[in-house]
Amino acid sequence: MIWKRTVFTVLTCKAGSFPAASYFQDITLTIALTPTDFIWQGVMQGGRDGCKEWPAEGESLLSYRGEPLPYIPFVCQHPQYWRSVAAERRRTGDMIHARKFYEDSEAAYSITEAEIIKVEDIHGKLLLIGAEDDVLWKTAKYIWRM
């Protein structure tokens, strides 16, 4: 009897681990829910100046072997970040809606090859799940680009 070892990961939006499959060849299956095809700036959570969340100043969402990976910065920083996201959520009545903020951030920055997730380096199977009407960001656009 032959057993094949399977290493897989299931990831959601900004959990940020989707790029792991391009760095670790042992991962044979990756299921990514609402992925982006690039790496964002890091985010801190807690309670800072009345904000529940804020951009980690000068920090990537991800690092590899102790080194930060190149990332796309947000269009605004603390405290404007939280005010912008909170205003969009109030406007739409949806507590996770922030699509305009992320669209503005992507539009303000010219994405380079360095920030793009290297899908071609993934050796395992990939299942990318998203929706055209995602309220966080244009996940369907990112999936099609991959």
Side-chain angles (χ1 to χ4, degrees), residues 10-71:
V10 177
L11 312 151
T12 60
C13 65
K14 277 180 42 181
S17 301
F18 169 57
S22 68
Y23 286 89
F24 300 100
Q25 306 306 308
D26 292 4
I27 298 175
T28 58
L29 172 63
T30 298
I31 302 171
L33 308 175
T34 67
T36 62
D37 60 342
F38 54 85
I39 299 168
W40 285 105
Q41 179 174 358
V43 175
M44 305 295 287
Q45 294 183 333
R48 180 180 175 195
D49 305 326
C51 302
K52 295 179 184 177
E53 185 177 276
W54 60 93
E57 296 175 28
E59 291 187 37
S60 177
L61 181 64
L62 300 170
S63 64
Y64 178 65
R65 296 187 174 170
E67 295 297 319
L69 296 177
Y71 64 93

Side-chain angles (χ1 to χ4, degrees), residues 44-100:
M44 305 295 287
Q45 294 183 333
R48 180 180 175 195
D49 305 326
C51 302
K52 295 179 184 177
E53 185 177 276
W54 60 93
E57 296 175 28
E59 291 187 37
S60 177
L61 181 64
L62 300 170
S63 64
Y64 178 65
R65 296 187 174 170
E67 295 297 319
L69 296 177
Y71 64 93
I72 294 177
F74 296 124
V75 72
C76 58
Q77 300 300 308
H78 179 72
Q80 294 82 11
Y81 165 90
W82 181 250
R83 291 180 189 144
S84 175
V85 169
E88 183 70 4
R89 291 174 180 170
R90 278 192 306 275
R91 184 186 69 75
T92 63
D94 188 330
M95 66 186 282
I96 64 166
H97 201 290
R99 188 165 172 156
K100 181 177 179 344

Side-chain angles (χ1 to χ4, degrees), residues 64-140:
Y64 178 65
R65 296 187 174 170
E67 295 297 319
L69 296 177
Y71 64 93
I72 294 177
F74 296 124
V75 72
C76 58
Q77 300 300 308
H78 179 72
Q80 294 82 11
Y81 165 90
W82 181 250
R83 291 180 189 144
S84 175
V85 169
E88 183 70 4
R89 291 174 180 170
R90 278 192 306 275
R91 184 186 69 75
T92 63
D94 188 330
M95 66 186 282
I96 64 166
H97 201 290
R99 188 165 172 156
K100 181 177 179 344
F101 173 79
Y102 287 103
E103 287 175 358
D104 290 349
S105 293
E106 185 181 356
Y109 185 83
S110 296
I111 301 173
T112 69
E113 191 67 27
E115 296 92 21
I116 298 290
I117 296 168
K118 309 300 184 264
V119 179
E120 64 275 11
D121 292 343
I122 296 174
H123 289 229
K125 303 270 187 217
L126 207 50
L127 175 60
L128 306 172
I129 301 170
E132 289 284 343
D133 62 350
D134 190 314
V135 297
L136 189 58
W137 47 49
K138 292 183 174 184
T139 193

